[in-house]
Amino acid sequence: NDRYHAGESEAHWQAVWAERRCFEASNADPRPKYYVLEMFPYPSGRIHMGHVRNYAMGDAVARFRRAKGFNVIHPMGWDAFGLPAENAAMQNKRHPAEWTHKNIDTMRAQLKSMGLSIDWAREVATCDPSYYKQQQRIFLAFLEAGLAQRKTSKVNWDPVDNTVLANEQVVDGRGWRSGAVVEQRELTQWFLKITDYAQELYDGLDTLTEWPDKVRLMQRNWIGRSEGLTIRWQLDPATVPAGETELSAYTTRPDTLFGASFLAVAADHPLARAAAAKDADLAAFIDDCRKLGTSVAALETAEKKGYDTGIRARHPFDPAWELPVYVANFVLMDYGTGAIFGCPAHDGRDLDFARLKGLPVTPVVCPPGTDPAALEIGDTPFTEDGRLVNSRFLDGLTVPDAKDEVARRLEAVDIGGAPQATRQVNFRLRDWGISRQRYWGCPIPVVHCPSCGAVPVPTADLPVTLPEDVDFDAPGNMLDRHPTWKNVPCPACGAAARRETDTMDTFVDSSWYFARFTDPWNDAAPTTPGVADRLLPVDQYIGGVEHAILHLLYSRFFTRAMSRVGLLNLDEPFRGLFTQGMVVHETYKGPDGAWVSPEEIRIEGAGGERRAALLSSGAPVAIGAIEKMSKSKRNVVDPDDIIGSYGADTARWFMLSDSPPDRDVIWTEEGVQGSAKFVQRLWRLVGELKRAAAGEPGAATAQTPDDEARALDVRKSAHRALIRVEEDLERLRFNRCVAHVYELANALSASIASTEAPVAPGSALARAFGEAAGFLVQAIGPFMPHLAEACWAELGHATPVAETPWPAADRALVVENTIVLPVQINGKRRAEVTVPRDADAKAVEAAALGSDTIVQALDGRTPKKVIVVPGRIVNVVV
Ligand code: ANZ
Ligand code: ZN
């Protein structure tokens, strides 16, 4: 049969794998484990090409490691709680659970049609009570250990949607969905104490050597560790409100202390409040600042504003020097001490502020090679390194030395029994507020009692499940509106009490799912310590870079916190991390300027002559930029369509073939067709190899020397390709694996084509073709698993490739027997020579001195000495 029918074949082999349970891993398997995980999907409705790429990569790794003899854990689940389900419920009057489960069913079927080697027995959905019951246990364990706490904090409150908004959900001071002006409210919420782990999470990044550097850097910046000094500024008693004597300000630049020209405090700073008590204008100014919102981004972009409190602070090194104290909108209350000293010459915000208020701008750090007298600060502050000037005893010092000198001197000054300054490490990282006023999330297992306070729900009463009879007619939190759900007796005293009606941030759900996968059957605990210890960490995690910060940081925190309460025994959850690029596609615009989808057009011509036209009318279509596939630009290609027309193997192969996996891949129709052709070509090639391997009955059994040489060539190609595919698979360089497979296919096709005489059965050449056929099929197994099975069966094997060990290539066969050595003259590289690998020093020397380039370079001079470092280099001394 000449044609490969992907549709039939794929369905068949998926059924075979399922029946044989090829991909179910046993927790009792004694072999070394390998845990591959792709970030689990949100069940939004259907899978998209980004999923296909992500899972094609993970599956290649899983299948390869399985073939290498590992007990491979390759699970899948659903990040199933979240706002879209509630929005859909409001729109369609359907329960979020129904919407979610329908989507899960659709997407599961789609993933199965991709032929992924997933252990479906481990499937979990975070909205399933059996999952969130265990999450509630974790919460209670955290609560007991002091890792979960109730705190009052300022939040963005949307008065129309009646919910707290994350900072990212506030756009220009308004709620992203309601458009209502957001208010700042003090609200009591549940927090997880991630700040307890700030230093550990920061240090741990150094151990993650198999993570992309850029992700580690993003995490480092997010944690935002800084080393500085907190200085106690003494206030002029004549200028302060009653009871105030000093102001502590945190700085990372104590070296710039002689360039200070003002101090500033946050609007919520106690000193600002005290001053506002006697100053109505200040009180109004503070109110104004509060409207700005709490986000760092809002504060950084807002126009700088400040109000002079009239308070004066004394310079730590010169009590006669008094500086004004402002309330300023760019100082955050919850960072450092909520107060700063400003040095306009060396900080951008301070410079803006100084220009606004007409404050002095004194440079105190001088760039190397600049005359201090000519030092002038215009619109830009000088923030680089240099030496201190205009700074009395600091003059001439480097920045680090000056920082240290200031710290040393102020640490030695005693004010009221404590030093005037203390060295301090600060983190930008804040505790994680997990309360959401939402229905479709994991209930927080706490009951509020008027006399006992917040009481944990007893473990025996878990899970606290969501009520099913809810209406979605009004915005806001349905749990709170529910007539009966929240009314329960206090677990401690039995008095009438009220359930916590907030649910957990969905990032909590995804912070430990990888641990749940190790034993999702355990109903008594979130994890089974012995099992989790053996199967974790995840060896290779693959997903989008959009999760580089929050999801990964929260998971790293959960791993440590769960270990502290005895639920795990591990620091870092993900040993290897890979962030894949996006799937992008051309965009098209019709005559009316509206986006047109790829299915509605035809493309004519090629290269610079490419033109697009509407299929319906023939009207010209403008070919636009290549962009991330998105519904709004209509440049999406549906995986179902591709799998339906070409098969999953074609889609998977193309996804991995064109670009390095961490870069974007451009989806093109021509590319997919190229992959589809290659599928057919491989199928035919394997058939030809099979026939060649069997030989022609009756063909001469004597081998010509030519046949012997060809057999060796065939073997070399096959072994080399296999070794290279293996090496590149280990490094996730899938596009290079694809290239090696093409190369092997080409070499084998050429060999078959140039074999003129019939191949003798059992001859070296016949055997070489047979071996090469097997290698070729096994090499494509991780990428085109269905085709590989079909070919494998065609070659006469009874067990699937999926259960067949990776073949051992013979490295000796592919060792090149020549090597290239650099030749230097007096230490300067001049030429290269190619010599036999086993050439002795004399032969190497002769080859080097015989090289044309070296003869020319020596120009008749006789070398004094020739040093040959075997296998490395030749050095000629003249
Ligand atoms: C004086 C100074 C001079 C500063 C200078 C910078 C440059 P990182 O590195 O991120 O920790 N700062 C301190 N607390 C603040 C707050 N609550 N709100 C806004 N800004 C605050 O940044 C520390 C620097 O940010 C500190 O060093 C302080 O300004 C400012 F040439 O002090 B610096
Ligand atoms: Zn009580």
Tab-separated table of all heavy atoms in Angstrom, residues 309-334:
chain	number	residue	atom	x	y	z
A	309	THR	N	5.110	70.111	54.381
A	309	THR	CA	4.429	70.012	55.677
A	309	THR	C	4.841	71.133	56.632
A	309	THR	O	4.236	71.303	57.685
A	309	THR	CB	4.771	68.690	56.374
A	309	THR	OG1	6.192	68.655	56.540
A	309	THR	CG2	4.298	67.498	55.563
A	310	GLY	N	5.926	71.834	56.276
A	310	GLY	CA	6.451	72.826	57.207
A	310	GLY	C	7.426	72.223	58.201
A	310	GLY	O	8.161	72.930	58.896
A	311	ILE	N	7.451	70.908	58.269
A	311	ILE	CA	8.390	70.228	59.176
A	311	ILE	C	9.791	70.310	58.574
A	311	ILE	O	9.961	70.237	57.360
A	311	ILE	CB	7.977	68.753	59.357
A	311	ILE	CG1	6.556	68.674	59.938
A	311	ILE	CG2	8.975	68.000	60.226
A	311	ILE	CD1	5.968	67.290	59.942
A	312	ARG	N	10.806	70.493	59.448
A	312	ARG	CA	12.189	70.545	58.984
A	312	ARG	C	13.003	69.450	59.668
A	312	ARG	O	12.854	69.214	60.863
A	312	ARG	CB	12.803	71.919	59.281
A	312	ARG	CG	12.109	73.072	58.522
A	312	ARG	CD	12.355	72.964	57.004
A	312	ARG	NE	11.595	73.921	56.213
A	312	ARG	CZ	10.414	73.662	55.630
A	312	ARG	NH1	9.841	72.483	55.774
A	312	ARG	NH2	9.811	74.581	54.914
A	313	ALA	N	13.847	68.781	58.843
A	313	ALA	CA	14.693	67.714	59.396
A	313	ALA	C	16.142	68.150	59.370
A	313	ALA	O	16.556	68.910	58.494
A	313	ALA	CB	14.515	66.449	58.560
A	314	ARG	N	16.922	67.667	60.344
A	314	ARG	CA	18.334	68.070	60.452
A	314	ARG	C	19.238	67.042	59.793
A	314	ARG	O	19.098	65.846	60.029
A	314	ARG	CB	18.711	68.212	61.921
A	314	ARG	CG	17.969	69.375	62.532
A	314	ARG	CD	18.240	69.484	64.016
A	314	ARG	NE	17.669	70.725	64.487
A	314	ARG	CZ	17.361	70.956	65.757
A	314	ARG	NH1	17.588	70.013	66.671
A	314	ARG	NH2	16.859	72.114	66.106
A	315	HIS	N	20.166	67.523	59.002
A	315	HIS	CA	21.093	66.621	58.314
A	315	HIS	C	21.899	65.818	59.330
A	315	HIS	O	22.391	66.380	60.314
A	315	HIS	CB	22.044	67.433	57.415
A	315	HIS	CG	22.759	66.572	56.425
A	315	HIS	ND1	23.893	65.871	56.743
A	315	HIS	CD2	22.482	66.281	55.124
A	315	HIS	CE1	24.305	65.190	55.675
A	315	HIS	NE2	23.462	65.421	54.682
A	316	PRO	N	22.031	64.513	59.125
A	316	PRO	CA	22.709	63.670	60.119
A	316	PRO	C	24.139	64.109	60.409
A	316	PRO	O	24.650	63.874	61.506
A	316	PRO	CB	22.712	62.288	59.470
A	316	PRO	CG	21.627	62.316	58.459
A	316	PRO	CD	21.460	63.746	58.025
A	317	PHE	N	24.812	64.727	59.446
A	317	PHE	CA	26.192	65.140	59.676
A	317	PHE	C	26.330	66.638	59.931
A	317	PHE	O	27.439	67.152	60.021
A	317	PHE	CB	27.086	64.733	58.492
A	317	PHE	CG	27.292	63.239	58.402
A	317	PHE	CD1	26.822	62.524	57.302
A	317	PHE	CD2	27.950	62.554	59.422
A	317	PHE	CE1	27.014	61.162	57.225
A	317	PHE	CE2	28.149	61.180	59.349
A	317	PHE	CZ	27.671	60.483	58.241
A	318	ASP	N	25.202	67.359	59.994
A	318	ASP	CA	25.280	68.808	60.155
A	318	ASP	C	23.937	69.342	60.666
A	318	ASP	O	23.056	69.703	59.893
A	318	ASP	CB	25.620	69.444	58.795
A	318	ASP	CG	25.836	70.946	58.908
A	318	ASP	OD1	25.531	71.511	59.994
A	318	ASP	OD2	26.293	71.537	57.917
A	319	PRO	N	23.766	69.375	61.986
A	319	PRO	CA	22.472	69.737	62.584
A	319	PRO	C	21.990	71.116	62.179
A	319	PRO	O	20.785	71.398	62.214
A	319	PRO	CB	22.729	69.680	64.088
A	319	PRO	CG	24.078	69.098	64.278
A	319	PRO	CD	24.806	69.088	62.981
A	320	ALA	N	22.916	71.986	61.724
A	320	ALA	CA	22.498	73.336	61.329
A	320	ALA	C	21.833	73.346	59.963
A	320	ALA	O	21.163	74.293	59.586
A	320	ALA	CB	23.712	74.260	61.319
A	321	TRP	N	22.053	72.254	59.215
A	321	TRP	CA	21.517	72.156	57.857
A	321	TRP	C	20.115	71.546	57.933
A	321	TRP	O	19.948	70.373	58.245
A	321	TRP	CB	22.461	71.301	57.026
A	321	TRP	CG	22.051	71.019	55.608
A	321	TRP	CD1	20.945	71.463	54.958
A	321	TRP	CD2	22.756	70.198	54.680
A	321	TRP	NE1	20.914	70.985	53.690
A	321	TRP	CE2	22.021	70.200	53.478
A	321	TRP	CE3	23.954	69.464	54.737
A	321	TRP	CZ2	22.434	69.490	52.352
A	321	TRP	CZ3	24.352	68.758	53.620
A	321	TRP	CH2	23.603	68.775	52.424
A	322	GLU	N	19.088	72.324	57.615
A	322	GLU	CA	17.712	71.823	57.728
A	322	GLU	C	17.103	71.571	56.354
A	322	GLU	O	17.284	72.369	55.432
A	322	GLU	CB	16.856	72.815	58.519
A	322	GLU	CG	17.311	72.923	59.971
A	322	GLU	CD	16.170	73.299	60.909
A	322	GLU	OE1	15.230	73.990	60.482
A	322	GLU	OE2	16.225	72.879	62.085
A	323	LEU	N	16.397	70.452	56.225
A	323	LEU	CA	15.768	70.104	54.948
A	323	LEU	C	14.254	70.036	55.111
A	323	LEU	O	13.766	69.572	56.146
A	323	LEU	CB	16.259	68.739	54.457
A	323	LEU	CG	17.747	68.649	54.087
A	323	LEU	CD1	18.558	68.220	55.292
A	323	LEU	CD2	17.943	67.694	52.927
A	324	PRO	N	13.504	70.482	54.086
A	324	PRO	CA	12.044	70.438	54.178
A	324	PRO	C	11.517	69.011	54.077
A	324	PRO	O	12.103	68.184	53.383
A	324	PRO	CB	11.585	71.255	52.963
A	324	PRO	CG	12.704	71.131	51.980
A	324	PRO	CD	13.967	71.033	52.798
A	325	VAL	N	10.410	68.719	54.774
A	325	VAL	CA	9.769	67.409	54.705
A	325	VAL	C	8.446	67.563	53.963
A	325	VAL	O	7.584	68.337	54.381
A	325	VAL	CB	9.515	66.829	56.116
A	325	VAL	CG1	8.806	65.472	56.011
A	325	VAL	CG2	10.816	66.711	56.890
A	326	TYR	N	8.323	66.844	52.848
A	326	TYR	CA	7.108	66.907	52.035
A	326	TYR	C	6.271	65.646	52.234
A	326	TYR	O	6.765	64.599	52.660
A	326	TYR	CB	7.473	66.965	50.547
A	326	TYR	CG	8.007	68.302	50.091
A	326	TYR	CD1	9.361	68.626	50.267
A	326	TYR	CD2	7.166	69.228	49.492
A	326	TYR	CE1	9.863	69.842	49.841
A	326	TYR	CE2	7.652	70.451	49.064
A	326	TYR	CZ	8.994	70.757	49.233
A	326	TYR	OH	9.483	71.960	48.812
A	327	VAL	N	4.988	65.769	51.887
A	327	VAL	CA	4.201	64.566	51.610
A	327	VAL	C	4.209	64.457	50.090
A	327	VAL	O	3.922	65.448	49.408
A	327	VAL	CB	2.749	64.697	52.124
A	327	VAL	CG1	1.923	63.488	51.691
A	327	VAL	CG2	2.734	64.859	53.633
A	328	ALA	N	4.600	63.296	49.554
A	328	ALA	CA	4.727	63.190	48.094
A	328	ALA	C	4.021	61.947	47.579
A	328	ALA	O	4.000	60.909	48.241
A	328	ALA	CB	6.197	63.158	47.693
A	329	ASN	N	3.450	62.070	46.379
A	329	ASN	CA	2.646	60.956	45.848
A	329	ASN	C	3.505	59.840	45.264
A	329	ASN	O	2.979	58.804	44.894
A	329	ASN	CB	1.652	61.472	44.797
A	329	ASN	CG	2.348	62.016	43.560
A	329	ASN	OD1	3.558	62.205	43.558
A	329	ASN	ND2	1.570	62.258	42.520
A	330	PHE	N	4.814	60.019	45.155
A	330	PHE	CA	5.623	58.932	44.600
A	330	PHE	C	6.320	58.108	45.672
A	330	PHE	O	7.121	57.233	45.363
A	330	PHE	CB	6.626	59.470	43.565
A	330	PHE	CG	7.614	60.479	44.131
A	330	PHE	CD1	8.834	60.062	44.639
A	330	PHE	CD2	7.308	61.825	44.119
A	330	PHE	CE1	9.733	60.984	45.155
A	330	PHE	CE2	8.210	62.751	44.632
A	330	PHE	CZ	9.426	62.330	45.154
A	331	VAL	N	5.987	58.370	46.923
A	331	VAL	CA	6.553	57.540	47.993
A	331	VAL	C	5.492	56.527	48.430
A	331	VAL	O	4.357	56.885	48.711
A	331	VAL	CB	7.002	58.407	49.192
A	331	VAL	CG1	7.640	57.532	50.259
A	331	VAL	CG2	7.968	59.495	48.736
A	332	LEU	N	5.894	55.264	48.416
A	332	LEU	CA	4.962	54.174	48.768
A	332	LEU	C	4.989	53.936	50.263
A	332	LEU	O	6.064	53.912	50.865
A	332	LEU	CB	5.413	52.875	48.100
A	332	LEU	CG	5.460	52.832	46.586
A	332	LEU	CD1	6.388	51.712	46.127
A	332	LEU	CD2	4.066	52.620	46.033
A	333	MET	N	3.833	53.717	50.848
A	333	MET	CA	3.809	53.477	52.289
A	333	MET	C	4.382	52.116	52.640
A	333	MET	O	5.020	51.937	53.664
A	333	MET	CB	2.377	53.610	52.829
A	333	MET	CG	2.308	53.563	54.354
A	333	MET	SD	3.395	54.807	55.113
A	333	MET	CE	4.054	53.920	56.511
A	334	ASP	N	4.137	51.117	51.775
A	334	ASP	CA	4.534	49.775	52.207
A	334	ASP	C	5.886	49.327	51.650
A	334	ASP	O	6.129	48.162	51.441
A	334	ASP	CB	3.438	48.745	51.911
A	334	ASP	CG	3.202	48.588	50.425
A	334	ASP	OD1	3.799	49.349	49.649
A	334	ASP	OD2	2.425	47.694	50.051
